[in-house]
Structures are given as C-alpha cells and as structure tokens.
Amino acid sequence: MARMKFICDAERCIECNACVTACKNEHEVPWGVNRRRVVTINDGVVGQEKSISVACMHCSDAPCMAVCPVDCFYRTDEGVVLHDKDICIGCGYCSYACPFGAPQFPSNGTFGLRGKMDKCTFCAGGPEPDGSPVEFEKYGRNRLAEGKLPLCAEMCSTKALLGGDGDVISEIFRNRVVRRGKGSEVWGWGTAYGKAPHPDAQAPTEQKS
C-alpha cells in the first residue's frame, strides 16, 4: 500500500500562498488556525531567498503521537497521522513536540482559552464515517476517500508542493534535481521520514525519432 508523504520543492515555490488558501477554503478551517503556511528563509537576501510550504508531514515516527497523554493520535494504513478531537484535551504537548509547528489551537473567548487541537489531515478526514457531515464539521473534507490527493498540492501552480505516494513523489523530485543540476535539499524530509531522497540516478534521456 502507498505511504503518503509531502515534498516541497524550494526551487519552485513562489510564495503565492495558493496552498494555504485552498486548504482553508476546502475544509472551512476555523478562524485563527492555519493548517498550512508558507515560510520564507533568508527573506530579502539576494540569491539566497527560498520559500517552502509547511504543514503536518505525517512523520514515520511522529513525536506528537509519543507525547500525547490521552493517545488521541493514530496512523492510517496509508501512513497519514490523524487525531480524534473527541479524545483531545487541548493540553498542547503535541505543539511543543512537533518540529514543524503543525498542531494548531483555536482560541475561544476574550482570554484566548485553548480549544481542541487542529492540524493538516492530508485531506483524509478523521475517525468518523467517510464523507459524513460530522466528519466534515470536525476535520474537513475527506478527499482521499474520494480517490483524490490533497487539494493544497493539486492547487500549487508551479507544482512545488507534491503530495501522494512517497515513492512516486520522491522519484519526481529526483528527476527534477537531475535535470536542473541543483536544489537537491528537501526541507523536512529527513526529519519526518528518516532519509532524504538523493538524485543518484542518471539523467533521463530523450527518445530520438
């Protein structure tokens, strides 16, 4: 079975925030919560500025799962890390443990009382029945159950953000690096999955007619 993963190609990201907007619109994400955000590194430094789209990476050894005192996290057969909002107590331990800042907590009331945790679901919904109104209300649309990929990746105009079968997207990225001869660094891949894809294959050759 496919192991779902994300890759963001910093050589292609143009900081348009289409992924952020698509996510918020598709899932009707609560105000103040950003399941996905775009971060710019070396902002303003000529020749060194890079942007990356950041969300939950659905880690192979997810630290959020390890520190949750009520075990509200679980992993699907596709490797997607999800959580049960009916179990979550809003303690915030996951937000301190996550290296990507993925867990978000909507603030309720004048004094900002922390509510149930919210994060990227890889468009895979939650523990409720697939496509049910209660699933959408708590977790947003379940696109994976519909045979579709995460909308953030589908809406990326430059295809910098790739989401899907880890073997497939790593091969796409590897071929890009071989063709352009630079930009082999994959932000977050090693942290999330343990080993970064390396462009060690030969460049693909064109067929002559």
Side-chain angles (χ1 to χ4, degrees), residues 99-187:
F100 305 106
Q104 302 281 299
F105 291 88
S107 297
N108 300 318
T110 306
F111 299 102
L113 299 177
R114 185 156 54 198
K116 300 283 188 177
M117 190 273 287
D118 191 276
K119 75 172 190 70
C120 163
T121 65
F122 208 91
C123 288
E128 279 73 16
D130 292 346
S132 64
V134 66
E135 182 188 48
F136 180 82
E137 181 181 356
K138 292 181 180 179
Y139 308 99
R141 185 175 171 188
N142 190 338
R143 291 174 57 86
L144 258 61
E146 300 172 5
K148 301 175 182 177
L149 293 174
L151 189 64
C152 56
E154 288 197 359
M155 292 298 291
C156 181
S157 60
T158 62
K159 301 306 175 188
L161 182 60
L162 302 173
D165 185 333
D167 292 337
V168 174
I169 64 173
S170 63
E171 184 64 21
I172 292 172
F173 180 78
R174 185 181 294 111
N175 287 335
R176 286 181 183 178
V177 173
V178 170
R179 286 180 181 277
R180 70 192 178 206
K182 64 174 184 176
S184 62
E185 300 81 11
V186 188
W187 184 90

Side-chain angles (χ1 to χ4, degrees), residues 70-135:
V70 294
D71 293 328
C72 79
F73 291 93
Y74 63 98
R75 182 178 285 107
T76 70
D77 293 338
E78 296 86 6
V80 179
V81 177
L82 301 176
H83 70 294
D84 190 332
K85 288 190 176 183
D86 290 337
I87 299 176
C88 175
I89 59 175
C91 66
Y93 286 2
C94 54
S95 66
Y96 294 112
C98 178
F100 305 106
Q104 302 281 299
F105 291 88
S107 297
N108 300 318
T110 306
F111 299 102
L113 299 177
R114 185 156 54 198
K116 300 283 188 177
M117 190 273 287
D118 191 276
K119 75 172 190 70
C120 163
T121 65
F122 208 91
C123 288
E128 279 73 16
D130 292 346
S132 64
V134 66
E135 182 188 48

